[in-house]
Amino acid sequence: MNQLWVEVFGWTGASLALGAYFLVSTGRVCGDSRLFQCMNIAGATCLIFYTYHCKAYASLLVNSVWVLIGLHSVLSIAKRKKQFQAAKEAAKEAAKEAAASIMDIDISAKSG
């Protein structure tokens, strides 16, 4: 592969990883945000490609683990979001049922 493209991948990966760290460190995004995790995954993926071509296998291993951690985090975030949505829907239903019960009590009290 053309060495220019290898360098582009390396610089892109480094920029994404450092950008993600900067955003979290300055409080602009949370560590459990999709943006942060996706930037880390994309950055580490680019760095895997780069380090493979540079034969820097220790860095390749670190970035491979970094991708796995990021993927696990993205899946965990998605799972939590799904659980939150389910809890939110259950709370809405419970509130509707409670309101209906109150309305029944109020109507019974007025007619009795």
Side-chain angles (χ1 to χ4, degrees):
M1 172 166 256
N2 185 336
Q3 187 60 31
L4 174 64
W5 283 109
V6 172
E7 291 295 322
V8 167
F9 271 89
W11 284 106
T12 300
S15 298
L16 285 167
L18 288 173
Y21 181 68
F22 173 79
L23 290 173
V24 165
S25 296
T26 57
R28 294 191 171 121
V29 298
C30 294
D32 64 350
S33 71
R34 283 190 195 166
L35 175 63
F36 175 72
Q37 296 302 331
C38 288
M39 286 178 73
N40 269 313
I41 292 167
T45 301
C46 288
L47 288 170
I48 288 169
F49 178 79
Y50 177 74
T51 56
Y52 173 79
H53 283 280
C54 294
K55 298 181 179 167
Y57 299 116
S59 184
L60 186 144
L61 176 64
V62 168
N63 284 294
S64 297
V65 172
W66 201 271
V67 167
L68 293 174
I69 292 168
L71 290 171
H72 179 268
S73 296
V74 167
L75 293 173
S76 295
I77 291 166
K79 184 178 177 182
R80 279 195 312 266
K81 184 175 181 178
K82 187 176 180 180
Q83 289 171 339
F84 176 76
Q85 292 293 17
K88 188 175 167 182
E89 289 301 316
K92 279 183 185 179
E93 285 303 313
K96 285 178 186 177
E97 289 175 16
S101 295
I102 291 170
M103 293 296 281
D104 286 343
I105 292 170
D106 189 40
I107 291 170
S108 298
K110 287 181 182 179
S111 63

